[in-house]
Amino acid sequence: GRIELVNGSTRPHHVRVDMTIVGNDGGSVTIDTPLLREPVNVKVTRHGEKVGRNFVLPPGKYPVTFSADAQPVYPPDDFRELVFSVQNFELTSITP
């Protein structure tokens, strides 16, 4: 999966991102973006793993990519091969 964070202003903003990663037990999800010093690896569980990071969001557009090695989830009556979900994604401005 991929999302894009956009700062349309002319100055950097200090922000915090919070989310919960949910999927079948086992495996992991890697979150990667040029905004962080290194990728974030999250163990995948059915109960969800909370992830939170503070960083500076410079002006412009920045990709955030999600990759997983977890086993797929097959919901009833759904043709898609789902591996994980991102829940409660929140991006908030913070004071440095």
Side-chain angles (χ1 to χ4, degrees):
R2 177 186 158 117
I3 62 171
E4 193 169 69
L5 300 179
V6 179
N7 178 354
S9 75
T10 58
R11 62 184 180 86
H13 289 281
H14 292 265
V15 297
R16 178 170 178 82
V17 66
D18 289 290
M19 67 188 92
T20 302
I21 306 293
V22 180
N24 274 341
D25 289 338
S28 63
V29 171
T30 301
I31 305 167
D32 196 13
T33 178
L35 298 168
L36 298 176
R37 295 174 201 240
E38 58 188 44
V40 176
N41 292 306
V42 182
K43 183 178 177 183
V44 178
T45 70
R46 292 179 184 181
H47 303 292
E49 291 293 321
K50 294 183 179 187
V51 179
R53 296 289 187 277
N54 297 343
F55 56 92
V56 175
L57 180 58
K61 297 178 182 181
Y62 299 90
V64 179
T65 58
F66 299 82
S67 57
D69 64 3
Q71 293 298 311
V73 177
Y74 297 100
D77 301 321
D78 195 330
F79 63 91
R80 299 173 295 167
E81 184 176 286
L82 305 174
V83 178
F84 67 93
S85 67
V86 176
Q87 299 178 357
N88 305 317
F89 184 91
E90 187 175 350
L91 181 69
T92 54
S93 182
I94 60 172
T95 303

